[in-house]
Amino acid sequence: MAVFSNSSFSEHEHVAFHHDPVSGLKAIIAVHNTVLGPSLGGCRMYPYSNDDEAITDVLRLSKGMTYKAAMANLPMGGGKSVIIGNPHTDKSPEIMQAMGAFVESLGGQYIVAEDSGIAVSDVHLMAQQTKHAGGLNAKFTYEGAPSDGNPAPSTAYGTFVGLKAAVDFALQKDLSELTVAIQGVGQVGYRLAKHLHEAGAKLIIADTFGPAVDKAQSEFGAKVVDINEIHAVDADVLAPCALGATINPTTINSIKAKVIAGAANNQLLTESLGQVLFDKGITYAPDYVINAAGIIDIHHQQVDSSAAKMKAHIEMIGTTLTDIFTLSQAQQRPTNIVANELAEAKFK
Ligand code: NAD
């Protein structure tokens, strides 16, 4: 079980391992960087098949959080945690409380939040043992309504703003003239589809979950295609909103869209594919820039803020992306590399 020689280890400040024999908790917290502030990131519970898989995931995800927070101009660093276990069969209040105590033991270097396999109710259990839990007691949505703590409405709005910025830059067209292909119409993809439908865009969608497909089809008149075809449809914009690695050597040559702008994390299988997109004249909105509104939301719920301030902060995603696209064009370099360098200049 190697850490320093793991290919995802990248100057992480702190990696902590914990086993609580009473509850059975086995967990890892990775603090990537705290130059800009305490590290914030979700806790993922997943039945990793071995320890190396869990370490690689937590190292990779925590690094991504540093870049995301830096580009969103948040006073936060990047961290993430993983619990090794099946969220459907291994979860217990004792495990969540033990995780809270583990988070507390880092003295505020890491602030835990929800992620895949971990619900807001689990974070509440952790918060019984730690002061360092984020995303709880959310007060407002970006529209000023009461919030249930789900960051997806903010993430979808930020993605919509970012998609519009990419279209303005690359295509100079109104959304009502465009067709957008959305891969995955779950929490974020469905809400993005709603914004786009209201702006007059035509939609093509794909999802593995039948009821999600039916809903988007009936509410937005979306055309439905197979999940293996969505990346290759005739559309102006491709919005990956499901899994990571949508852009990979198998799919990249069949992408017809001239803009890629979606909420999914880790959309490029490898960083080098950013150059391939650039060479093909495809404007790619770097994932951690366009999908940052979820942590912007969590931040504004923690400090003395308001819905209006949070909305204005989310809308800065459009400005940040336009700056990245402009630099990318001026330097003739891919957007993902330009974004990485801008982020590193802030936290290194
Ligand atoms: P979700 O689970 O609610 O939605 C994902 C949808 O994708 C589901 O409807 C699922 O059925 C579908 N799907 C799964 N495999 C698919 C496939 N092969 N092809 C097409 N559809 C498929 O998740 P979400 O919260 O909407 O998040 C979507 C993406 O955005 C994820 O990558 C997530 O990490 C990222 N993200 C989400 C947030 C947030 O606030 N929820 C914030 C930042 C990033």
Side-chain angles (χ1 to χ4, degrees), residues 190-234:
Y190 165 78
R191 291 176 170 90
L192 174 65
K194 191 165 195 289
H195 287 298
L196 289 165
H197 175 67
E198 285 166 2
K202 288 188 197 61
L203 300 176
I204 304 176
I205 59 150
D207 197 296
T208 46
F209 186 51
V213 171
D214 295 345
K215 194 169 177 211
Q217 188 179 27
S218 69
E219 287 185 27
F220 313 132
K223 180 179 169 189
V224 179
V225 298
D226 188 86
I227 56 161
N228 297 312
E229 289 170 18
I230 188 75
H231 65 278
V233 296
D234 222 341

Side-chain angles (χ1 to χ4, degrees), residues 22 31 44 47 60 78 98 113 122 126 141 145 150 154 168 174 202 205 208 242 247 256 330:
V22 178
V31 175
R44 178 171 286 190
R60 195 177 50 86
D122 297 320
M126 294 179 201
T141 67
N150 181 0
S154 286
D168 281 348
D174 190 80
K202 288 188 197 61
I205 59 150
T208 46
I247 300 149
K256 297 194 189 74

Side-chain angles (χ1 to χ4, degrees), residues 170-191:
L171 308 175
Q172 294 96 40
K173 281 187 179 172
D174 190 80
L175 291 179
S176 61
E177 302 170 70
L178 298 185
T179 301
V180 180
I182 306 183
Q183 180 182 43
V185 279
Q187 290 277 348
V188 178
Y190 165 78
R191 291 176 170 90

Side-chain angles (χ1 to χ4, degrees), residues 120-137:
V120 173
S121 55
D122 297 320
V123 184
H124 274 285
L125 286 165
M126 294 179 201
Q128 292 175 4
Q129 301 295 327
T130 182
K131 297 183 286 299
H132 309 295
L136 303 179
N137 310 318

